[in-house]
């Protein structure tokens, strides 16, 4: 089990927890856990049929246990893997600058041009640390939880000095999470129940005074685990309060750590949220009836196939034939009474062709609900650039609402948290990403796909203006049009000049055919990359 490490406090925490504070915390935790219990049966069904390797919510599952005994159809498992890989490639592609920092709208053109190189360097620094960390591994696990359970959580924590990367990521399983939603609609409160060994307790909380019985039990059995409750809650002053307690069998709990943080290391996000609900709903939940039905149909087909291969036989009870002594194999002579029919095969009423038609329809609906048939890899390599762009636009429409929620609940908090860590370490400028002076610029394939329509509209307008003659072309602010196309195509802001004024005399001639062909070729390559499954 991976256990995330928080930044250690300089002061040693008090081991005796105040009874009033403990009771208030446990009462709040139990209330949140009671609200979560209403979801556990639905989560268990979704994970059993779509991601059975995850640990169950009821406990009792040991590592290495067989968890696929009830599964006969793997369509949902395959679709979940493909959709998770597609989200990874479309939102946070590996080894690709999928975000940037650029000057905000409140800066003047000269100030923006001076600030742009520093911001691009800061964005590349963050991306380099992400590439050197375990981000891709853990975010992929989060996407799997998001698709199946509808809710996922990623811990973003600072690595010890001297580590290969400044970040350390941990995908927290859904069965360990108990969440609270704030007044603003964000998941800003978290409780985590986790069992740790003595070595993990000492590594994670080196300043804590562990009880003597815990030390004795841990030294006697290195794999003995002890329950720990971690809570990260808003402190009412713009920050967050972290508290970790060792839940002992007695009446007293041992405080392992207490601290306050300016920003939370927890990033919880959802696929889809219904009004009045805290946890998210997933595409697997929507297609769960079809998944269960397809699984049952395959089970019945296999039983029917077994009967078709081995057969069901009937015989007259003539006092000669003993079914217990019959062996159906080549060369065997089976006695029968005179005048009796002996063994006779029983015809089965089931029809394989009808059941296969039902199964094909169910599998098609599962693939459609999990977007596999629309976000999968392009099979026809002879598609034109226009066809690829249409597919890219369809993908942007399909994932538009989900992408907006993920951008708000995952990508923006992730970049803000990473920037805060590197700012404390002095690796990026001491500035604030406030949306006015500095803004985020998303450059993932899905973000670019959403801007392709504006690019095409702008190019069509420029082509029409050019056809009207030089007088009409004089009304075009070509430097501003070039800046707009650069922003829409995700060009780094330090490559775009902001103080270039349009020439007042002779206007340059645009070769729209060449420009349009170049942009279409670039859009085709981007759309193919966005639509492919990694």
């Amino acid at each position: 089990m991976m256990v995330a490490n928080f930044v250690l406090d300089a002061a040693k925490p008090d081991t005796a927890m105040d009874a009033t504070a403990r009771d208030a915390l446990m009462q709040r935790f139990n209330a949140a856990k009671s609200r979560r219990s209403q979801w556990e049966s639905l989560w268990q069904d979704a994970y059993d049929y779509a991601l059975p390797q995850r640990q169950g919510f009821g406990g009792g599952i040991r590592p290495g246990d067989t968890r696929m005994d009830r599964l006969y159809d793997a369509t949902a498992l395959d679709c979940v893997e493909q959709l998770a890989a597609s989200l990874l490639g479309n939102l946070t592609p590996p080894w690709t600058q999928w975000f940037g920092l650029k000057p905000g709208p409140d800066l003047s053109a000269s100030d923006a041009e001076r600030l742009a190189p520093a911001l691009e360097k800061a964005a590349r620094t963050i991306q380099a640390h992400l590439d050197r960390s375990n981000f891709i591994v853990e975010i992929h696990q989060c996407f799997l939880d998001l698709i199946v359970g509808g809710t996922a959580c990623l811990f973003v924590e600072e690595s010890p000095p001297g580590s290969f990367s400044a970040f350390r990521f941990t995908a927290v399983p859904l069965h360990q999470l108990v969440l609270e939603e704030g007044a603003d609609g964000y998941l800003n409160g978290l409780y985590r129940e986790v069992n740790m060994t003595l070595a993990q307790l000492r590594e994670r909380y080196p300043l804590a005074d562990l009880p003597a019985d815990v030390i004795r039990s841990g030294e006697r059995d290195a794999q003995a685990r002890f329950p720990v409750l971690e809570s990260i809650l808003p402190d009412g002053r713009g920050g967050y309060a972290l508290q970790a307690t060792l839940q002992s069998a007695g009446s007293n709990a041992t405080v392992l750590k207490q601290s306050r943080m300016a920003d939370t290391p927890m990033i919880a996000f959802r696929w889809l949220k219904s009004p009045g609900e805290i946890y998210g709903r997933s595409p697997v939940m929507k297609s769960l009836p079809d998944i269960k039905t397809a699984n049952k149909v395959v089970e019945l087909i296999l039983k029917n196939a077994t009967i078709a291969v081995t057969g069901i036989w009937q015989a007259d009870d003539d006092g000669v034939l003993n079914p217990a002594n019959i062996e159906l194999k080549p060369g065997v002579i089976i006695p029968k009474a005179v005048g009796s029919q002996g063994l006779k095969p029983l015809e089965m009423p089931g029809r394989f062709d009808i059941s296969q038609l039902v199964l094909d329809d169910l599998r098609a609906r599962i693939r459609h609900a999990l977007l596999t048939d629309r976000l999968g890899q392009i099979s026809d390599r002879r598609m034109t650039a226009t066809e690829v762009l249409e597919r890219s636009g369809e993908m942007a429409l399909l994932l538009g609402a989900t992408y907006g929620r993920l951008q708000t609940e995952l990508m923006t908090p992730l970049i803000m948290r990473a920037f805060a860590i590197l700012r404390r370490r002095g690796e990026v400028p001491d500035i604030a990403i406030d949306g006015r002076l500095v803004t985020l610029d998303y450059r993932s394939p899905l973000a670019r796909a959403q801007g392709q329509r504006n690019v095409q509209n702008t190019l069509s307008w420029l082509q029409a203006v050019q056809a009207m003659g030089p007088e009409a072309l004089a009304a075009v602010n070509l430097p501003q049009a070039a800046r707009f196309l650069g922003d829409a195509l995700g060009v780094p802001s330090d490559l775009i000049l902001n103080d270039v004024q349009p020439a007042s005399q002779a206007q340059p001639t645009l070769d729209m055919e060449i420009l349009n062909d170049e942009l279409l070729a670039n859009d085709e390559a981007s759309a193919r990359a966005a639509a492919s499954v990694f």
Side-chain angles (χ1 to χ4, degrees), residues 272-424:
L272 176 68
K273 178 182 177 297
S274 296
E277 295 180 347
I278 295 177
Y279 298 91
R281 293 187 176 269
S282 68
V284 168
M285 294 178 184
K286 180 178 66 175
S287 60
L288 197 56
D290 289 334
I291 295 174
K292 289 183 176 181
T293 305
N295 191 73
K296 192 64 176 180
V297 169
V298 173
E299 180 184 0
L300 296 176
I301 288 177
L302 293 176
K303 289 181 178 179
N304 202 350
T306 303
I307 295 174
V309 172
T310 59
I312 296 178
W313 304 83
Q314 59 182 352
D316 296 333
D317 188 6
D318 53 10
V320 176
L321 183 64
N322 186 1
N325 296 331
I326 295 177
E327 294 184 7
L328 297 177
K329 61 182 182 179
V332 173
I333 298 176
I334 302 175
K336 74 180 186 68
V338 177
S340 66
Q341 296 182 355
L343 288 179
K344 183 180 179 181
L346 180 66
E347 295 184 2
M348 298 301 298
R351 294 182 58 185
F352 281 93
D353 53 347
I354 299 299
S355 60
Q356 189 62 43
L357 289 176
V358 173
L359 181 61
D360 291 342
D361 182 61
L362 289 171
R363 287 174 172 172
R365 289 208 299 264
I366 293 172
R367 295 189 183 98
H368 186 78
L370 297 180
L371 307 178
T372 306
D373 58 341
R374 292 175 286 181
L375 296 182
Q377 188 172 1
I378 297 176
S379 57
D380 188 2
R381 297 299 176 182
R382 294 172 297 178
M383 292 176 64
T384 64
T386 303
E387 291 173 336
V388 174
L389 289 177
E390 289 297 328
R391 179 186 173 94
S392 178
E394 180 184 1
M395 178 188 64
L397 291 176
L398 291 174
L399 290 180
T402 302
Y403 175 72
R405 177 171 292 278
L406 292 179
Q407 179 175 307
T408 302
E409 295 188 352
L410 169 63
M411 302 170 71
T412 298
L414 171 62
I415 299 172
M416 299 289 286
R417 170 68 174 167
F419 187 85
I421 292 176
L422 294 183
R423 184 173 56 187
R424 289 196 298 266

Side-chain angles (χ1 to χ4, degrees), residues 112-393:
E113 187 170 346
R114 288 195 300 268
L115 185 59
L119 295 179
E120 285 297 330
K121 182 179 179 181
R124 288 192 291 266
T125 301
I126 297 175
Q127 184 67 52
H129 280 281
L130 290 176
D131 293 338
R132 295 197 301 268
S133 69
N134 61 337
F135 171 71
I136 296 300
V137 176
E138 297 301 315
I139 196 63
H140 180 258
Q141 297 299 318
C142 286
F143 284 148
L144 290 174
D145 283 329
L146 182 70
I147 296 167
V148 178
T151 306
C153 182
L154 180 70
F155 271 87
V156 186
E157 301 167 291
E158 185 175 357
S159 298
S163 300
F164 192 57
S165 173
F167 309 136
R168 178 180 298 173
F169 297 90
T170 304
V172 181
L174 189 55
H175 70 270
Q176 294 182 358
L177 289 176
V178 178
L179 299 174
E180 289 183 347
E181 187 179 60
D184 55 359
Y186 290 95
L187 297 173
N188 57 4
L190 172 141
Y191 304 90
R192 182 188 181 193
E193 294 179 294
V194 60
N195 296 322
M196 301 184 188
T197 63
L198 178 61
Q200 290 173 337
L201 287 173
R202 286 173 170 171
E203 179 183 1
R204 185 169 180 128
Y205 312 110
L207 302 180
D209 289 331
L210 300 176
D213 58 337
V214 171
I215 296 177
R216 287 194 301 268
S217 299
E219 291 178 346
R220 187 166 53 248
D221 181 7
Q223 296 303 314
R225 296 184 178 274
F226 308 95
V228 175
L229 175 62
E230 297 176 344
S231 63
I232 302 176
L233 302 172
D235 60 1
R237 295 177 292 179
Y240 294 85
L242 165 67
Q243 182 165 281
T245 58
L246 183 63
Q247 304 296 103
S248 60
S251 59
N252 294 326
T254 302
V255 178
L256 300 175
K257 181 178 180 180
Q258 285 180 318
S259 66
R260 296 190 179 275
M261 302 170 291
D263 50 352
T264 175
M266 173 208 73
I267 301 176
F269 50 99
R270 296 160 290 193
W271 178 274
L272 176 68
K273 178 182 177 297
S274 296
E277 295 180 347
I278 295 177
Y279 298 91
R281 293 187 176 269
S282 68
V284 168
M285 294 178 184
K286 180 178 66 175
S287 60
L288 197 56
D290 289 334
I291 295 174
K292 289 183 176 181
T293 305
N295 191 73
K296 192 64 176 180
V297 169
V298 173
E299 180 184 0
L300 296 176
I301 288 177
L302 293 176
K303 289 181 178 179
N304 202 350
T306 303
I307 295 174
V309 172
T310 59
I312 296 178
W313 304 83
Q314 59 182 352
D316 296 333
D317 188 6
D318 53 10
V320 176
L321 183 64
N322 186 1
N325 296 331
I326 295 177
E327 294 184 7
L328 297 177
K329 61 182 182 179
V332 173
I333 298 176
I334 302 175
K336 74 180 186 68
V338 177
S340 66
Q341 296 182 355
L343 288 179
K344 183 180 179 181
L346 180 66
E347 295 184 2
M348 298 301 298
R351 294 182 58 185
F352 281 93
D353 53 347
I354 299 299
S355 60
Q356 189 62 43
L357 289 176
V358 173
L359 181 61
D360 291 342
D361 182 61
L362 289 171
R363 287 174 172 172
R365 289 208 299 264
I366 293 172
R367 295 189 183 98
H368 186 78
L370 297 180
L371 307 178
T372 306
D373 58 341
R374 292 175 286 181
L375 296 182
Q377 188 172 1
I378 297 176
S379 57
D380 188 2
R381 297 299 176 182
R382 294 172 297 178
M383 292 176 64
T384 64
T386 303
E387 291 173 336
V388 174
L389 289 177
E390 289 297 328
R391 179 186 173 94
S392 178

Side-chain angles (χ1 to χ4, degrees), residues 394-509:
E394 180 184 1
M395 178 188 64
L397 291 176
L398 291 174
L399 290 180
T402 302
Y403 175 72
R405 177 171 292 278
L406 292 179
Q407 179 175 307
T408 302
E409 295 188 352
L410 169 63
M411 302 170 71
T412 298
L414 171 62
I415 299 172
M416 299 289 286
R417 170 68 174 167
F419 187 85
I421 292 176
L422 294 183
R423 184 173 56 187
R424 289 196 298 266
R425 298 165 70 108
E427 298 188 33
V428 296
D430 187 12
I431 54 179
I433 305 176
D434 55 1
R436 299 187 304 271
L437 301 180
V438 179
T439 61
L440 289 174
D441 182 24
Y442 294 102
R443 303 169 185 170
S444 63
L446 185 57
R448 292 182 59 184
Q450 291 182 323
Q452 296 301 327
R453 184 65 61 185
N454 292 333
V455 171
Q456 292 302 316
N457 291 339
T458 303
L459 292 178
S460 299
W461 175 72
L462 290 175
Q463 191 171 7
V465 169
Q466 185 190 24
M468 297 171 65
E471 295 182 356
L473 190 59
V476 179
N477 189 335
L478 293 181
Q480 187 63 31
R483 283 192 288 269
F484 170 78
L485 292 177
D487 289 337
L489 295 174
V491 177
S493 58
D494 59 344
L495 300 182
I496 303 175
L497 297 178
N498 292 293
D499 59 351
V500 177
Q501 301 297 326
S504 57
Q505 301 298 328
Q507 293 287 335
T509 301

